């Protein structure tokens, strides 16, 4: 509601008001309330020493298999992804780079897709992940969504 009201004010007026308003805390509060909100998801194409892709069997999805990922907390994207994978699987990974950023809806979000590799660890099932598998391209488990297959191939073909 507040953001709709703020967006009725001409942009030039808002800039002038922001520039001359003396209270930084109040300015930041207004700016925060006036902006649209979205979540940030971190996802990864993780490979092992053989170049196989790590896939996780999620307990809460209709199509259960997928790439590792989760929602960021108050942390860097790489740290968030390493934390999520460790919490869900017991595996330690190294994130090697950002591969792609995607805007999505339901919920409004930005998906940051990274590449990474397995460092160490033994898989431990969790309440979210019941199994893992390492797959060669085009040898996917039943239940891996077509959108994820397309993303995996796209990211791997980009080097």
């Amino acid at each position: 509601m507040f953001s709709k009201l703020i967006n009725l004010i001409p942009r030039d007026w808002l800039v002038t008001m922001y520039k001359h308003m003396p209270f930084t805390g109040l300015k930041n509060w207004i700016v925060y309330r006036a902006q649209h909100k979205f979540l940030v998801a971190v996802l990864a194409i993780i490979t092992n020493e053989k170049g196989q892709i790590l896939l996780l069997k999620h307990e809460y999805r209709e199509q259960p298999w997928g790439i590792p990922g989760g929602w960021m907390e108050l942390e860097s994207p790489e740290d968030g992804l390493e934390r999520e994978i460790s919490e869900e699987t017991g595996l330690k990974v190294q994130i090697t780079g950002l591969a792609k950023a995607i805007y999505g809806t339901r919920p409004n979000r930005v998906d940051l897709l990274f590449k990474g590799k397995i460092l160490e660890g033994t898989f431990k099932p969790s309440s979210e992940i019941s199994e893992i598998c390492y797959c060669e391209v085009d040898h996917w488990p039943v239940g891996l969504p077509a959108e994820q297959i397309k993303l995996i191939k796209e990211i791997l073909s980009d080097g």
Side-chain angles (χ1 to χ4, degrees), residues 18-32:
Y18 186 84
K19 183 177 174 182
H20 297 291
M21 187 179 289
F23 305 108
T24 302
L26 178 60
K27 286 194 293 191
N28 291 339
W29 182 86
I30 291 170
V31 168
Y32 178 79

Side-chain angles (χ1 to χ4, degrees), residues 3 25 42 73 83-84 106 120 130 136 141-142 147 156:
S3 63
V42 286
E73 294 178 7
R83 175 190 50 75
E84 281 284 340
R106 296 188 192 149
E120 61 185 30
S130 60
E136 302 284 341
V142 173
E147 313 86 60
L156 292 178

Side-chain angles (χ1 to χ4, degrees), residues 75-124:
E75 59 202 341
S76 75
E78 295 86 351
D79 288 347
L81 191 49
E82 289 172 359
R83 175 190 50 75
E84 281 284 340
I85 294 169
S86 176
E87 287 175 0
E88 293 177 354
T89 68
L91 301 173
K92 183 173 179 166
V93 301
Q94 177 184 17
I95 303 306
T96 58
L98 179 65
K100 185 173 187 163
I102 306 165
Y103 174 74
T105 57
R106 296 188 192 149
N108 289 331
R109 68 186 189 281
V110 172
D111 295 339
L112 300 176
L113 185 62
F114 290 86
K115 292 172 85 174
K117 61 184 181 180
I118 296 287
L119 292 179
E120 61 185 30
T122 302
F123 172 66
K124 297 177 186 104

Side-chain angles (χ1 to χ4, degrees), residues 48-80:
N48 63 12
E49 67 282 347
K50 296 177 187 173
Q52 298 168 314
I53 301 117
L54 172 66
L55 296 175
L56 311 179
K57 187 173 184 185
H58 298 83
E59 286 299 305
Y60 53 88
R61 293 185 184 168
E62 197 170 302
Q63 292 181 296
W65 288 97
I67 59 176
W71 299 112
M72 279 181 55
E73 294 178 7
L74 299 175
E75 59 202 341
S76 75
E78 295 86 351
D79 288 347

